[in-house]
């Protein structure tokens, strides 16, 4: 194990309820470091700015070499949804803040996806003793999701490693610090990631054989319990993984090393463990959150046929409370960097978290519009942060109404396309969504499913029939094998 020199930025971004990696104090140096990299290897889509794009392609309709997420019937999936969490309660009260209302309201507003936060410290409070009560609580939440037709990603969440440092995630019994110091920062808790004890705890998690086995067993327990649950789409082995900086390293260099040398083998170990009990469920792998500053990941190949790349989409300045700056080119540089990994390894992309804290600032309307355009170009979907009823990051207020500009995340889309998508785009200015696809052959699925947000919408199809699905509420499009189909969804005048 290398001795580390801990580079603690003097001013880190204060967060209320979530994490990113990059401190405000280092943002400028990060961007300066990465500017040559970002312009050296542009992608075909990166040349288009959000303002130039206007409309966007859905999953499966891109020419950038990134494959689409698919379901068990081979249909092209698009996921739109939110994180669902209860960080405050644990033990007997774990997940008590998550209710059926979360899933009913999400679906009613046009969302089909939830990233559900679960905690290793609740699942395995003592080594080798797994809480059956907690598993039943997770199952109850999944049953609500199934009832309301919401697909779920189970996210093994951590903030500042876990309870040993006053947060949630990896159990205290699996936390090893070598006696290094830890000083809490209650007014700037994210800076705790740079405390020597926290950084060393990550190193032990990645390198100690018994902790490796414990983490893999924990995931086997989850996968064995929920592999057949119809709501479960995927597993996210660890939220926003961090690591230990070595002497002389800047953050981009450290992030790429951690991803290459520690996260890649960790994901391969966990994937192997999961596949011993579950052969079919997607596994979502995250880079370090430093990708939010346009840093290409150092992750290597995960040797599994059902891997999804799941970066987060946060901007340091906006996390610190600043307004969106369209001239800074952040969305473009992020998209350009984040698409390199899925293009190289041919895996789908689903963004696991995104959305600013101060969403009512003057330029935030433009941010949401341009972010939706960008996300639609290269992802199979996303989960915003976070579905709750109140202020801060919450998607809706106490009455269930969208908070300012959050309504821009609700659009018509095809959540499952039975065929090869040729093009699909939503024009926010006109309120028109168009989908063109070649229907599957005789052995493929016939049913393409649409999702419509609240409002009055007209759906027409050329080359297929449009039916109202009474069970799921949204329309379905039924096409003959190999038919060329064009679907138009338009907002009707009130």
């Amino acid at each position: 194990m290398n001795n580390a020199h801990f580079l603690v930025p003097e001013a880190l971004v204060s967060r209320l309820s979530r994490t990113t990696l990059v401190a405000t104090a280092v943002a400028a140096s990060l961007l300066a470091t990465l500017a040559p990299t970002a312009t050296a290897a542009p992608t075909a889509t990166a040349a288009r700015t959000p303002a130039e794009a206007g409309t966007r392609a859905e999953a499966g309709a891109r020419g950038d070499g990134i494959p689409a997420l698919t379901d068990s019937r081979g249909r092209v999936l698009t996921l739109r949804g939110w994180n669902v969490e209860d960080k405050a309660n644990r033990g007997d009260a774990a997940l008590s803040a998550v209710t059926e209302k979360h899933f009913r309201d999400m679906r009613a507003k046009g969302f089909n996806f939830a990233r559900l936060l679960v905690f290793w410290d609740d699942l395995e409070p003592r080594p080798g003793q797994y809480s059956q009560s907690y598993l039943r609580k997770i199952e109850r939440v999944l049953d609500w999701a199934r009832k309301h037709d919401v697909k779920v990603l189970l996210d093994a969440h951590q903030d500042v490693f876990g309870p040993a440092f006053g947060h949630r995630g990896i159990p205290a019994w699996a936390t090893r610090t070598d006696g290094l110091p830890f000083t809490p920062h209650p007014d700037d808790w994210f800076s705790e990631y740079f405390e020597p004890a926290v950084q060393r705890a990550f190193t032990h998690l990645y390198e100690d054989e018994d902790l490796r086995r414990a983490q893999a067993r924990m995931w086997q327990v989850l996968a064995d319990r929920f592999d057949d649950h119809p709501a479960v789409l995927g597993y996210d082995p660890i939220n926003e993984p961090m690591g230990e900086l070595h002497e002389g390293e800047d953050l981009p260099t450290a992030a790429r090393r951690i991803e290459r040398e520690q996260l890649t083998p960790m994901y391969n170990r966990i994937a192997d463990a999961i596949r011993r009990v579950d052969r079919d469920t997607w596994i979502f792998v995250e880079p370090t959150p430093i990708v939010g500053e346009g840093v290409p990941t150092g992750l290597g190949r995960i040797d599994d046929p059902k891997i999804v790349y799941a970066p987060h989409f946060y901007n340091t300045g906006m996390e610190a409370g600043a307004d969106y700056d369209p001239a800074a080119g952040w969305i473009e540089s992020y998209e350009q960097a984040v698409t390199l990994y899925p293009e190289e390894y041919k895996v789908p992309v689903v963004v696991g978290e995104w959305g600013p804290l101060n969403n009512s600032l003057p330029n935030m309307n433009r941010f949401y519009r341009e972010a939706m355009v960008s996300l639609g170009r290269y992802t199979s979907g996303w989960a915003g942060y976070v579905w709750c009823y109140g202020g801060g990051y919450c998607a809706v207020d106490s009455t269930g109404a969208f908070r300012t500009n959050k309504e821009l995340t609700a659009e018509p889309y095809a959540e499952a396309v039975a065929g090869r998508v040729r093009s699909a785009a939503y024009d926010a200015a006109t309120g028109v969504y168009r989908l063109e696809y070649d229907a599957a052959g005789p052995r493929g699925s016939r049913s393409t499913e649409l999702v419509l947000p609240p409002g009055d919408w007209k759906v027409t199809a050329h080359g297929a029939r449009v039916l109202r699905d009474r069970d799921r509420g949204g329309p379905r499009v039924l096409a003959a094998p190999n038919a060329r189909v064009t679907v138009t969804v338009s907002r009707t005048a009130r």
Side-chain angles (χ1 to χ4, degrees):
M1 182 183 302
N2 294 321
N3 292 325
H5 176 67
F6 299 96
L7 305 179
V8 184
E10 294 180 359
L12 290 166
V13 180
S14 294
R15 299 342 188 250
L16 295 183
S17 61
R18 52 148 267 100
T19 65
T20 57
L21 182 62
V22 187
T24 301
V26 300
S29 62
L30 275 173
L31 293 175
T33 301
L34 292 166
T37 303
T39 56
T43 65
T45 55
R48 295 177 293 166
T49 67
E52 291 169 339
T55 60
R56 60 191 165 279
E58 297 283 0
R62 300 178 303 274
D64 54 12
I66 300 176
L69 191 69
T70 54
D71 67 9
S72 61
R73 299 157 65 183
R75 298 183 302 174
V76 174
L77 295 180
T78 296
L79 306 175
R80 302 283 178 86
W82 297 85
N83 283 257
V84 175
E85 66 177 35
D86 181 2
K87 293 184 178 181
N89 298 299
R90 62 186 72 193
D92 291 341
L95 289 173
S96 59
V98 177
T99 68
E100 183 178 353
K101 176 180 171 64
H102 286 70
F103 300 95
R104 180 177 64 245
D105 290 355
M106 285 171 59
R107 190 71 201 199
K109 289 189 179 296
F111 301 104
N112 67 345
F113 179 51
R115 181 175 180 257
L116 176 65
L117 277 59
V118 298
F119 297 102
W120 184 0
D121 57 291
D122 262 328
L123 176 61
E124 192 179 2
R126 289 172 295 281
Q129 298 184 21
Y130 301 99
S131 171
Q132 296 303 309
S133 172
Y134 190 56
L135 290 169
R136 287 192 295 271
K137 292 174 186 293
I138 296 172
E139 187 169 23
R140 179 181 62 180
V141 174
L142 293 175
D143 289 345
W144 290 332
R146 177 189 183 186
K147 179 179 178 180
H148 297 286
D149 198 21
V150 174
K151 299 175 179 65
V152 175
L153 170 63
L154 292 176
D155 159 45
H157 207 83
Q158 67 81 27
D159 293 320
V160 193
F161 203 78
F165 307 112
H167 297 274
R168 303 300 310 280
I170 291 88
W173 58 260
T175 305
R176 296 169 183 165
T177 66
D178 296 339
L180 293 174
F182 170 74
T183 302
H185 300 270
D187 295 328
D188 184 13
W189 67 265
F190 189 78
S191 64
E192 294 171 4
Y193 272 113
F194 295 89
E195 285 293 313
V198 175
Q199 294 202 343
R200 183 59 54 83
F202 277 103
T203 297
H204 280 294
L205 177 67
Y206 301 143
E207 297 185 358
D208 291 8
E209 186 59 35
D210 61 330
L211 295 183
R212 290 177 176 183
R213 289 195 301 267
Q215 187 184 31
R217 284 197 304 268
M218 178 271 293
W219 265 110
Q220 278 190 318
V221 169
L222 282 172
D224 191 42
R225 178 64 177 261
F226 299 120
D227 68 316
D228 291 328
H229 198 290
V232 174
L233 174 77
Y235 308 125
D236 186 341
I238 185 170
N239 175 69
E240 296 186 346
M242 300 282 278
E244 187 170 15
L245 278 69
H246 291 171
E247 185 172 0
E249 284 185 321
D250 59 21
L251 281 173
T253 301
R256 287 190 286 261
R257 173 185 53 78
I258 291 164
E259 290 160 344
R260 180 180 63 255
E261 299 179 4
Q262 295 177 317
L263 298 188
T264 300
M266 178 191 70
Y267 288 137
N268 275 298
R269 287 192 301 272
I270 293 174
D272 288 344
I274 288 173
R275 292 305 177 222
R276 287 195 280 272
V277 295
D278 181 346
R279 300 183 62 84
D280 300 320
T281 303
W282 291 93
I283 298 174
F284 288 56
V285 298
E286 298 188 35
T288 60
I290 203 170
V291 297
E293 295 303 324
V295 181
T297 184
L299 275 177
R301 181 180 301 279
I302 314 302
D303 295 320
D304 189 274
K306 299 196 73 172
I307 294 297
V308 179
Y309 184 52
H312 292 181
F313 179 42
Y314 290 112
N315 171 264
T316 299
M318 291 163 64
E319 286 292 282
D323 200 357
Y324 173 56
D325 179 6
W330 169 63
I331 290 179
E332 295 90 336
S333 64
Y334 174 88
E335 178 179 334
Q336 185 171 318
V338 83
T339 51
L340 297 177
Y341 182 87
E343 287 175 349
E344 179 178 359
Y345 292 105
K346 304 304 178 188
V347 296
V349 180
V350 173
V351 166
E353 291 186 23
W354 74 285
L357 172 62
N358 298 324
N359 53 282
S360 61
L361 294 172
N363 288 334
M364 286 301 177
N365 183 277
R366 180 169 177 178
F367 166 74
Y368 274 99
R369 293 183 183 277
E370 295 187 352
M372 290 289 287
V373 169
S374 177
L375 290 168
R377 276 200 291 264
Y378 64 92
T379 78
S380 285
W382 46 259
Y385 191 85
V386 57
W387 192 269
C388 54
Y389 300 84
Y393 286 98
C394 288
V396 293
D397 62 22
S398 59
T399 71
F402 277 121
R403 298 184 64 241
T404 304
N405 292 316
K406 299 283 190 180
E407 74 281 357
L408 297 174
T409 62
E411 301 176 344
Y413 59 98
E415 65 176 336
V417 177
R420 186 177 68 87
V421 177
R422 299 178 63 86
S423 65
Y426 177 69
D427 187 331
T430 62
V432 175
Y433 170 78
R434 289 188 175 88
L435 164 69
E436 184 177 359
Y437 69 98
D438 293 329
R443 296 185 179 181
S445 174
R446 304 267 64 79
S447 178
T448 289
E449 298 176 0
L450 305 179
V451 175
L452 307 180
D456 297 320
W457 300 91
K458 179 181 179 181
V459 181
T460 59
H462 178 75
R465 289 192 302 157
V466 178
L467 302 176
R468 172 66 63 175
D469 189 328
R470 294 183 179 180
D471 291 333
R472 53 180 295 277
R476 287 191 299 144
V477 177
L478 297 182
N482 301 313
R484 174 69 56 83
V485 180
T486 302
V487 179
T488 303
V489 180
S490 55
R491 189 182 295 276
T492 60
R494 295 181 178 179

